Amino acid sequence: MAVPARALLAAGIVVALLVPAAPPAQAHPLPHAQAPRIVNPRPAPGAVVAPGATLVAALVASDQPLTSAQLRVDGQEVALDVPGGDHPTLGGTVDTAAGWHTVELEVANTAGADRRVWRFRGSDLAVTRLAGSGRMETAVAVSRARFPEAASAEAAVLARADDYPDALAGGPLAAATSAPMLLTARDELSGPSAAELERVLPAGATVYLLGGGAALSDAVRADVEARGFRVERLAGQSRYATAARIAERLADADAAMVVSGEGFADAVSASSAAARDGSPILLTRRDALPEETRTFLEQAGVGEVHVVGGAGVVGQGVVDALAATVGAGGVGRIAGVDRYATSAAVAGRFFPAPDGIAVASGRGFADALSGGPHAAARGAPLLLSDTTTLPAAPAAYVAATRPGAATVYGGGNALGATVTGDLRRATASGGGPELRAVAPGGARVASLDEVVLTFDRDLDLAASAVHVTVGDHEAAGTLATGDFPHTLVYTVTDLPATVTPGSVHDVRIVVAATDGQSWRHVERSLTLDRPRSTLSLGDQGGEVIRLQELLGANRFWVGPVDGVYGTLTHQAVMAVQKTHGLTPDGVYGPVTRGVLESGPAPPTPRTTTGLVYEVDLARGILMVVADGSVAYIMNTSAGHGRVYEFEGATFRADTTTGRHRVTRQIDGVREAARGRLWRPKYYDDSRGIAIHGSSSVPAHHASAGCIRLTNAAMDFLWQIDPGTGAGVWVYPESYY
């Protein structure tokens, strides 16, 4: 083979790098005349921000240099620099206290002036994040926050960092023994935890190892002992037995939490309440109460059991078994529709009026393990959150209780800054109007003409605010009430210039709605996918360039990216349609666009090594396969399969199927008796069957037996494979 398969794939990379660069973003996002226009205010109208230093700014769309500019916050002038030229961003930093703040910006040039007033709110929620570079380091950060003084802990609890079953019951033990919960690897005492043990513990203190040797090896035990600490391993033959062993260390427990031992979420949700109240956390299977759990409850004389989690994780049969053990009136279930709602339900049951709250990821267990005892020491419930959004049930609990402080466990990958923003908005929304409906309500919209928000009560329109951004720019509009005074309607008057047919943008809606007494702060995200017109032969321009780039990125050979919807683009679109079972008309309409823009996976090739031309007759495509990977997909037309007569003889126009190799080729035109073949590569020389270029490659099979490509596509095959020997596999073998 003249060209190695890896070089063929590299050629595709080179083509991708030759794609024209996107045009730069426009400096002025909204239409404006000669006079200045103030846009993109920040903080956004109605936004809730963290207290402290806050940048207050806006963009001035102006075709002439400004002659004056003045920024005031709460009536006090803020120093700012007025840059020269068009479209300056004006701003200054202010110290934001809790409560509402009013911004006034006035600008002028020789053609006119503009003035804009908006309000934003400083949060009164103090947020502390305890995090390290990894889960072990986060546990150390939590330990240092709980025990800031050296040798101030009385013991330590050590659990495995990458598995949760033996650690789920450890939170109450850590609280009862005045101990931090630290994490380590299975086979060695990890460095961060070793250093923290030496800092936080006095010499000779006890370190509890949770789980047997399969959880934490004897090497971990030996390393802890070598540092001068006493080790006590709490372990059983199963996670259920280990939880019971841990529970035995809690004296005189009147109540217990029973949670699923097959997942971590409900156990960590219960950890703060259990640790605060000295209640053990016991584990159960979904459909059977383990004997170890039952025995502990009987021997300890526990009279009250809180089952945490719904019937999907702790079945009714387990609840019945618990009632038979402790008494029918001593068992109650605490649950929500999901893990997040369950955490809010636990918080509502045990912490009806907290001064502070704690939040950990509901997608991972590690940060919550160490966070539970820390939260308990502060009298705070442990709520679970998604990575980027505080779910509705925890948000409602925060809004109802309005705590003054929040502790967030874990770094930004576990809980993003958007979650802390949701916490601040929730505390600012206590007692405010309840949002009943939002339109548009879908996650993806084709247009953005208006935003309609319906609340549960009449609103003060003059004091309320709605701010909409598309991408990084404001969508200007007007705010009014709808048919009823409890509805806000934001009518978009100007979209940013970046919103063009075929573009896709993130949309953010910021709402501050008030009834004159209390507020509701809401933020919503959606995607604006502006539809394009259908593209077809003869079209030109940037949309065609984007289509050609998408075709190339999805391995459909399209030739040069030139912005012209010509034959090669038409052929490539037909290849997309054939590959994915669409009508192969070569027109780039909404359905074909939807398939292509989804980044569809290529067909699965049959070969794994070398350069092979795989022809799928059922689809009508040719795939250039390099070492088992589809490099290019092309439209093809093969034998139509019908019987025909030629020069007094009868033939059938079928294409030779099966596995072959290119054995002969002609670098030029072959004027065959049944047609003109451009640069043919023969793989069945006995029948004269070849892959060749042609001026006619329709969507259907139309040849006398050969495999047709466009002349340009055939030239490309010669470019990447100038010799013979490449494999050819035509299938399905039973096609004719």
Side-chain angles (χ1 to χ4, degrees):
M1 189 185 304
V3 178
R6 59 181 177 272
L8 173 62
L9 292 174
I13 296 173
V14 171
V15 170
L17 293 174
L18 295 178
V19 170
Q26 297 187 24
H28 44 89
L30 291 175
H32 60 280
Q34 294 295 314
R37 182 177 185 180
I38 299 171
V39 297
N40 288 2
R42 60 183 186 269
V48 180
V49 302
T54 303
L55 175 64
V56 179
L59 173 67
V60 181
S62 174
D63 290 331
Q64 298 180 20
L66 297 179
T67 57
S68 66
Q70 186 177 53
L71 174 66
R72 290 184 295 273
V73 177
D74 299 332
Q76 301 296 313
E77 188 167 354
V78 177
L80 52 80
D81 293 326
V82 182
D86 302 340
H87 317 303
T89 295
L90 306 181
T93 300
V94 298
D95 188 14
T96 301
W100 285 100
H101 302 276
T102 301
V103 183
E104 301 171 81
L105 180 60
E106 297 183 58
V107 296
N109 63 15
T110 56
D114 193 18
R115 178 177 182 268
R116 186 159 184 178
V117 179
W118 73 96
R119 297 204 304 163
F120 68 93
R121 181 166 180 159
S123 172
D124 54 5
L125 178 70
V127 178
T128 301
R129 186 184 290 271
L130 298 178
S133 58
R135 58 184 60 189
M136 299 179 197
E137 292 80 2
T138 292
V140 169
V142 174
S143 174
R144 287 178 170 270
R146 186 179 173 200
F147 302 100
E149 301 298 329
S152 58
E154 298 177 9
V157 177
L158 197 59
R160 183 168 167 176
D162 61 351
D163 204 8
Y164 62 81
D166 294 325
L168 294 181
L173 174 68
T177 57
S178 188
M181 172 83 80
L182 298 173
L183 306 177
T184 186
R186 175 189 179 277
D187 294 318
E188 63 177 359
L189 181 61
S190 301
S193 297
E196 181 60 10
L197 287 175
E198 294 179 343
R199 184 198 72 84
V200 77
L201 291 181
T206 298
V207 176
Y208 295 96
L209 269 59
L210 303 186
L216 294 177
S217 71
D218 287 338
V220 174
R221 176 176 191 141
D223 200 347
V224 173
E225 290 175 336
R227 297 171 190 274
F229 303 117
R230 174 180 173 273
V231 172
E232 182 175 347
R233 187 187 289 276
L234 298 177
Q237 294 300 312
S238 67
R239 63 188 65 183
Y240 309 101
T242 295
R245 284 289 314 279
I246 295 170
E248 292 170 359
R249 289 294 185 274
L250 304 177
D252 302 325
D254 296 325
M257 304 280 195
V258 174
V259 302
S260 170
E262 297 165 349
F264 67 86
D266 296 335
V268 296
S269 294
S271 62
S272 177
R276 183 197 64 179
D277 296 342
S279 300
I281 295 177
L282 300 169
L283 308 183
T284 183
R285 299 181 181 89
R286 179 187 182 278
D287 295 317
L289 182 66
E291 189 58 35
E292 299 90 341
T293 302
R294 184 198 310 272
T295 299
F296 173 83
L297 291 172
E298 290 175 343
Q299 293 180 349
V302 173
E304 186 177 9
V305 172
H306 304 286
V307 176
V308 180
V313 292
V314 179
Q316 185 59 41
V318 171
V319 175
D320 294 341
L322 288 168
T325 302
V326 303
V331 180
R333 187 191 293 273
I334 305 171
V337 296
D338 56 24
R339 62 185 58 191
Y340 308 109
T342 294
S343 74
V346 172
R349 169 66 174 79
F350 294 100
F351 300 90
D355 294 328
I357 58 169
V359 186
S361 171
R363 294 183 175 271
F365 63 89
D367 299 336
L369 285 179
S370 56
H374 178 270
R378 282 153 178 74
L382 181 59
L383 298 170
L384 299 186
S385 175
D386 202 356
T387 304
T388 58
T389 303
L390 183 67
Y397 170 81
V398 173
T401 57
R402 301 188 69 181
T407 302
V408 175
Y409 303 119
N413 290 333
L415 292 175
T418 49
V419 173
T420 60
D422 287 344
L423 288 169
R424 292 190 173 99
R425 282 184 287 277
T427 56
S429 296
E434 292 289 341
L435 182 65
R436 299 302 193 200
V438 180
R444 201 173 191 91
V445 297
S447 62
L448 191 66
D449 302 321
E450 65 179 19
V451 177
V452 181
L453 304 117
T454 302
F455 292 85
D456 67 341
R457 68 194 72 168
D458 292 353
L459 302 173
D460 182 343
L461 176 65
S464 299
V466 176
H467 186 248
V468 179
T469 54
V470 180
D472 294 327
H473 298 307
E474 180 180 22
T478 59
L479 183 63
T481 53
D483 295 335
F484 302 96
H486 59 269
T487 299
L488 294 178
V489 179
Y490 185 82
T491 302
V492 177
T493 57
D494 289 311
L495 284 170
T498 51
V499 180
T500 57
S503 60
V504 179
H505 304 273
D506 293 329
V507 177
R508 191 71 173 167
I509 303 169
V510 179
V511 182
T514 180
D515 58 2
Q517 302 296 323
S518 56
W519 293 81
R520 177 65 58 180
H521 294 262
V522 180
E523 292 199 14
R524 288 286 188 273
S525 296
L526 52 89
T527 300
L528 174 61
D529 187 353
R530 188 77 176 269
R532 288 188 293 276
S533 58
T534 298
L535 298 175
S536 58
L537 278 169
D539 286 333
Q540 299 184 35
E543 288 304 305
V544 177
I545 288 176
R546 184 171 184 271
L547 165 59
Q548 292 171 333
E549 294 171 356
L550 276 172
L551 288 166
N554 286 280
R555 311 185 197 191
F556 295 95
W557 187 79
V558 70
V561 177
D562 58 6
V564 178
Y565 200 118
T567 299
L568 300 187
T569 302
H570 182 82
Q571 288 280 317
V573 171
M574 280 202 293
V576 174
Q577 294 166 332
K578 287 183 170 185
T579 299
H580 297 287
L582 307 179
T583 301
D585 58 6
V587 175
Y588 192 55
V591 176
T592 304
R593 179 184 299 115
V595 169
L596 186 61
E597 292 188 344
S598 70
T604 302
R606 292 190 176 186
T607 54
T608 58
T609 59
L611 175 62
V612 182
Y613 304 127
E614 291 193 20
V615 180
D616 186 335
L617 293 173
R619 285 187 169 109
I621 58 173
L622 180 146
M623 294 179 289
V624 181
V625 180
D627 291 335
S629 177
V630 175
Y632 301 99
I633 306 171
M634 301 173 176
N635 178 49
T636 190
S637 178
H640 53 67
R642 298 186 299 274
V643 174
Y644 68 97
E645 290 189 3
F646 179 73
E647 295 182 347
T650 300
F651 301 89
R652 187 181 182 195
D654 58 341
T655 298
T656 304
T657 60
R659 302 191 69 166
H660 306 271
R661 288 198 175 275
V662 174
T663 56
R664 182 170 69 93
Q665 61 186 17
I666 298 173
D667 189 6
V669 176
R670 166 76 166 102
E671 296 288 357
R674 285 169 285 182
R676 189 172 188 268
L677 283 61
W678 173 245
R679 303 183 84 177
K681 287 179 175 283
Y682 290 90
Y683 70 91
D684 183 1
D685 214 7
S686 64
R687 295 186 59 210
I689 303 297
I691 302 171
H692 67 83
S694 173
S695 60
S696 174
V697 188
H700 58 280
H701 291 315
S703 81
C706 286
I707 296 169
R708 298 182 190 174
L709 301 174
T710 64
N711 290 334
M714 200 65 209
D715 288 341
F716 180 72
L717 290 192
W718 273 76
Q719 175 186 335
I720 63 175
D721 179 29
T724 59
V728 178
W729 193 343
V730 183
Y731 51 83
E733 287 77 358
S734 59
Y735 185 78
Y736 294 98

